[in-house]
């Protein structure tokens, strides 16, 4: 199995520290607002990776943190006039609801920053004791970036070039503008915890260093997250963790690609910012999941109506192939599974894996006509391999006819009109038959004729 390592900027043979166990940490959500479509990309990508590793026989210990104390959380709670704990609890519940609808399995562990404050303080103290950190006159504790020899190795940045970086915070209390905060002194009225440096709260970067090493050990196999986390967050995690433990922090760094909206960066200021729940109001969850899997996890995705329409049509091809067949285990040519594994073993290439499944669906369609006795085994294989990606879990009719409840006609009435059309065609009254098709099409009901009969789907659903 080959995985692209952001640290080395190349694909490498994946060899976990323990032969059969993979320890993976993914940076989770700062829970001050609803999750957006960019969060969905990361959720679905690492859900797919976890599912595949388990299917390949690995035991996966998947940890994804929750940041439940942060400047944005404090600000939003104050704006809302609600306690911080109430805000974060509400947003965590919403996050779980959103990812559940997308078919994302829960991580094995979801550590929260507020539950690991003692561990965070202990790590900051080790860094102070080793000379990698210093308490400042303003009550904060900062990390000495230039003290860590390997700083910049993940993002491939030069320290001197970074001095002019837009994301470097300049504080008079810092020894160097590059230094970053590990512990923040509390402002009046802020939620805080006692520490050797006074009342305060953790900096964002140190939270993940403490939680990941507490859950998975000083060194673990995979650390993942979104593309915006490479610098400074993950760069800072490496510096903190390796300075504190004296060990290599992570063997393989993985980052999902960005989501763009109509080829532009997603931004509230541009008015093209979509939460997961907003998207799911208009589109079926499996369609959104398919769109997020149809490209390689490291590639950028363009979120646009035509992209979602294409994702819907792709899923329709699979579900149409599965319709009318009762899946059952049986003999299937080995090359489908072999090609699927080869694609996924090549840095989780879902785009190529789906191409294999399209070939399998085409054979299923042919077999339904030419050798129907072989169709159940092919359908079983298609559902089995699709399930590795978290797809094809619905009954075909449920997917294809989703949204029928909003039509001005019941399913029984639709079926009656289809039967009337069949009788008209049998009587060679093609004008009536075409009229029924056009009547249903005007209502958004698309008829699909095949040798097995006529089925229907909701247009654009």
């Amino acid at each position: 199995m080959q995985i692209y390592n952001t640290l080395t900027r190349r694909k490498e043979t994946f060899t976990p520290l323990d032969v059969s166990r993979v320890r993976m940490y993914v940076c989770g959500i700062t829970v001050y607002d609803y999750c957006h479509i960019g969060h969905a990309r990361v959720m679905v990508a690492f859900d797919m990776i976890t599912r595949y590793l388990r299917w390949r026989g690995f035991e996966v210990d998947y940890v994804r943190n929750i940041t439940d104390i942060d400047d944005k959380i404090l600000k939003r709670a104050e704006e809302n006039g609600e306690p911080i704990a109430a805000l974060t609890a509400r947003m965590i519940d919403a996050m779980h609801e959103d990812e559940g609808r997308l078919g994302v399995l829960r991580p094995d562990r979801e550590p929260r920053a507020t539950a690991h404050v003692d561990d965070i303080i202990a790590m900051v103290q080790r860094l102070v004791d080793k000379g990698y950190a210093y308490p400042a006159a303003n009550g904060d504790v900062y990390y000495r970036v230039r003290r860590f020899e390997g700083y910049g190795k993940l993002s491939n940045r030069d320290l001197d070039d970074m001095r002019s970086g837009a994301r470097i915070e300049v504080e008079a209390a810092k020894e160097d503008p590059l230094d970053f905060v590990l512990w923040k002194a509390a402002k009046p009225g802020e939620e805080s915890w006692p520490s050797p440096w006074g009342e305060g709260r953790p900096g964002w970067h140190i939270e993940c260093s403490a939680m990941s090493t507490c859950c998975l050990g000083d060194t673990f196999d995979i650390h993942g997250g979104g593309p915006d986390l490479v610098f400074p967050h993950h760069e800072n995690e490496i510096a903190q963790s390796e300075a504190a433990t004296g060990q290599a922090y992570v063997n393989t760094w993985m980052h999902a690609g960005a989501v763009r909206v109509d080829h532009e960066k997603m931004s509230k200021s541009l008015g093209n910012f979509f939460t997961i729940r907003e998207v799911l109001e208009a589109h079926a969850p499996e369609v959104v999941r398919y769109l997020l899997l149809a490209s390689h996890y490291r590639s950028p995705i363009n979120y646009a109506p035509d992209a979602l329409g294409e994702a819907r049509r792709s899923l329709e091809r699979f579900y149409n192939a599965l319709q009318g067949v009762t899946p059952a285990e049986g003999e299937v040519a080995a090359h489908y599974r072999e090609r699927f594994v080869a694609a996924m073993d090549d840095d989780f290439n879902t785009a190529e894996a789906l191409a294999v499944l399209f070939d399998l669906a085409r054979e299923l369609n042919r077999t339904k006509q030419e050798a129907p006795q072989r169709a159940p085994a092919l359908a079983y294989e298609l559902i089995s391999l699709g399930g590795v990606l978290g797809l094809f879990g619905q009954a075909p009719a449920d997917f294809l006819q989703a949204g029928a409840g909003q039509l001005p006609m019941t399913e029984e009435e639709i079926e009656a009109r289809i039967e009337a059309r069949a009788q008209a065609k049998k009587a060679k009254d093609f004008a009536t038959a075409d009229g029924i098709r056009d009547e249903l099409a005007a209502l958004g009901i698309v008829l699909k004729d095949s040798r097995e009969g006529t089925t229907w789907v909701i247009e654009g659903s």
Side-chain angles (χ1 to χ4, degrees), residues 279-291:
V279 172
L280 296 183
E281 284 178 7
H283 303 281
E286 192 172 2
V287 171
V288 178
R289 184 181 177 96
Y290 185 94
L291 174 66

Side-chain angles (χ1 to χ4, degrees), residues 53-244:
L53 289 171
R54 286 175 175 155
W55 185 74
R56 290 284 273 127
F58 292 103
E59 176 190 345
V60 181
D61 191 354
Y62 178 19
V63 179
R64 190 187 67 200
N65 77 293
I66 293 173
T67 296
D68 60 350
I69 186 67
D70 175 86
D71 289 341
K72 293 176 181 177
I73 293 172
L74 295 175
K75 182 181 178 184
R76 182 59 55 84
E78 184 178 1
E79 290 171 351
N80 292 353
E82 67 179 319
I84 291 169
L87 169 65
T88 57
R90 185 161 54 83
M91 291 299 105
I92 290 168
D93 287 345
M95 175 187 72
H96 288 152
E97 180 185 337
D98 290 343
E99 67 181 357
R101 292 183 67 192
L102 289 171
V104 173
L105 305 174
R106 290 276 190 95
D108 298 295
R109 286 181 278 179
E110 280 188 311
R112 302 185 186 187
T114 55
H116 284 266
V117 173
D118 288 346
D119 300 315
I120 292 166
I121 290 172
M123 181 172 273
V124 174
Q125 185 65 64
R126 284 201 300 275
L127 291 169
V128 171
D129 293 344
K130 289 185 170 188
Y132 285 97
Y134 58 94
N138 63 356
D140 293 348
V141 180
Y142 291 99
Y143 185 92
R144 289 188 174 99
V145 167
R146 292 188 183 276
R147 176 80 166 73
F148 184 71
E149 195 170 313
Y151 195 85
K153 61 185 177 181
L154 181 69
S155 57
N156 199 28
R157 297 182 182 218
D158 179 82
L159 278 173
D160 292 325
D161 292 342
M162 281 191 273
R163 285 183 65 90
S164 59
R167 297 187 73 173
I168 300 301
E169 194 177 330
V170 178
E171 289 281 353
K174 293 182 180 182
E175 294 178 354
D176 188 304
L178 294 175
D179 295 348
F180 59 88
V181 69
L182 299 172
W183 184 261
K184 292 187 175 186
K187 296 175 183 176
E190 282 187 348
E191 185 163 347
S192 63
W193 289 261
S195 82
W197 316 284
E199 288 286 323
R201 58 188 172 83
W204 177 39
H205 309 301
I206 195 70
E207 293 177 358
C208 283
S209 285
M211 286 186 282
S212 61
T213 53
C214 282
C215 290
L216 298 174
D218 291 347
T219 305
F220 52 93
D221 300 299
I222 296 173
H223 194 316
D228 56 325
L229 298 183
V230 176
F231 183 85
H233 186 54
H234 288 165
E235 194 73 71
N236 291 351
E237 277 190 63
I238 292 173
Q240 296 162 160
S241 304
E242 296 190 356

Side-chain angles (χ1 to χ4, degrees), residues 181-395:
V181 69
L182 299 172
W183 184 261
K184 292 187 175 186
K187 296 175 183 176
E190 282 187 348
E191 185 163 347
S192 63
W193 289 261
S195 82
W197 316 284
E199 288 286 323
R201 58 188 172 83
W204 177 39
H205 309 301
I206 195 70
E207 293 177 358
C208 283
S209 285
M211 286 186 282
S212 61
T213 53
C214 282
C215 290
L216 298 174
D218 291 347
T219 305
F220 52 93
D221 300 299
I222 296 173
H223 194 316
D228 56 325
L229 298 183
V230 176
F231 183 85
H233 186 54
H234 288 165
E235 194 73 71
N236 291 351
E237 277 190 63
I238 292 173
Q240 296 162 160
S241 304
E242 296 190 356
T245 68
Q247 304 294 320
Y249 180 39
V250 173
N251 285 345
T252 302
W253 285 89
M254 301 178 69
H255 293 89
V259 174
R260 296 188 175 274
V261 178
D262 288 327
H263 302 287
E264 289 190 300
K265 184 178 180 180
M266 188 170 65
S267 166
K268 287 184 178 179
S269 62
L270 293 175
N272 64 356
F273 183 91
F274 298 100
T275 65
I276 295 173
R277 50 194 47 213
E278 286 171 338
V279 172
L280 296 183
E281 284 178 7
H283 303 281
E286 192 172 2
V287 171
V288 178
R289 184 181 177 96
Y290 185 94
L291 174 66
L292 298 175
L293 290 171
S295 300
H296 190 278
Y297 77 90
R298 285 191 287 113
S299 300
I301 284 179
N302 186 49
Y303 174 83
D306 58 341
L308 283 159
E310 181 57 38
R312 171 78 200 187
R313 288 187 289 274
S314 294
L315 278 171
E316 284 178 359
R317 289 169 61 187
F318 287 115
Y319 277 111
N320 277 316
L322 291 166
Q323 193 168 40
V325 182
T326 302
E329 283 192 80
E331 260 190 52
V332 176
H335 66 84
Y336 289 115
R337 186 164 293 224
E338 290 168 356
R339 289 171 55 206
F340 180 87
V341 169
M344 293 296 288
D345 276 1
D346 183 14
D347 195 29
F348 308 99
N349 192 338
T350 51
E352 183 59 33
L354 286 168
V356 175
L357 298 188
F358 273 119
D359 287 345
L360 179 52
R362 277 190 285 271
E363 181 173 351
L364 174 56
N365 279 326
R366 287 195 302 271
T367 302
K368 284 162 67 175
Q369 307 298 324
E370 300 168 6
Q373 72 279 4
R374 291 183 50 235
L378 290 168
Y380 185 92
E381 184 76 344
L382 181 57
I383 291 171
S384 175
L385 296 178
V388 178
L389 306 179
L391 298 172
F392 316 152
Q394 302 181 60

Side-chain angles (χ1 to χ4, degrees), residues 413-423 436 440 445 447 454-456:
E413 290 171 331
I414 294 170
E415 293 294 344
R417 297 302 289 148
I418 290 173
E419 177 59 26
R421 176 174 173 264
Q423 293 302 321
I436 292 172
L440 294 174
I445 303 161
L447 302 185
T454 301
T455 58
W456 56 277

